Amino acid sequence: MSETARQLSPCTRAQRDDEFGCNPGQIIELLSDDDARAVFLSADEPTTVRELAAEHDLPLSTAYRKVDRLHESGLLTNLNRQSGETPAIYVRSVDHVSVTYDEPIRIECLRNGKTLYCEH
């Protein structure tokens, strides 16, 4: 067995790999959405939803929906997780996402040198 194969951690469609896991159905949907994909790609540095909305010329409500969905899917992390007057700060939680549309569909998320994957 190759070193890469031993590092892979499978997940099911209904569960995440771990607390930082991927949600495969949402990932496919979000990466197919031009605005959501652009928001994901530009969150390589910590940023607020307002900054993302301005950068991509999105209405603030649309930017919040995209960020919420990206966060739910495991693609963005909320760095300050506080409610209140401080705006939430988000950053990409994965370094690389790969989707292979063979049978089965395979989604790989590279995070901190570890590959997490789902097949369905």
Side-chain angles (χ1 to χ4, degrees), residues 2-74:
S2 73
E3 185 64 30
T4 303
R6 274 187 252 129
Q7 293 177 354
L8 297 177
S9 302
C11 65
T12 67
R13 186 172 186 188
Q15 297 177 329
R16 294 175 179 225
D17 296 312
D18 58 19
E19 67 185 72
F20 301 108
C22 301
N23 182 320
Q26 282 186 333
I27 288 173
I28 290 171
E29 183 181 326
L30 288 165
L31 295 180
S32 298
D33 177 313
D34 292 338
D35 291 333
R37 187 175 56 252
V39 166
F40 166 71
L41 291 171
S42 66
D44 57 338
E45 296 290 329
T47 187
T48 65
V49 175
R50 187 171 299 279
E51 292 167 335
L52 290 166
E55 181 178 344
H56 297 288
D57 197 29
L58 295 172
L60 193 55
S61 60
T62 299
Y64 271 105
R65 279 194 305 277
K66 303 292 182 190
V67 167
D68 283 345
R69 301 264 345 265
L70 288 162
H71 182 254
E72 284 176 12
S73 73

Side-chain angles (χ1 to χ4, degrees), residues 20-21 40 43 70-71 74-77 91-95 110-112:
F20 301 108
F40 166 71
L70 288 162
H71 182 254
L75 293 174
L76 290 183
T77 298
V91 68
R92 282 194 317 224
S93 57
V94 296
D95 304 315
L110 180 64
R111 180 176 296 119
N112 299 324

Side-chain angles (χ1 to χ4, degrees), residues 91-104:
V91 68
R92 282 194 317 224
S93 57
V94 296
D95 304 315
H96 177 78
V97 177
S98 173
V99 179
T100 305
Y101 288 96
D102 293 328
E103 287 294 325

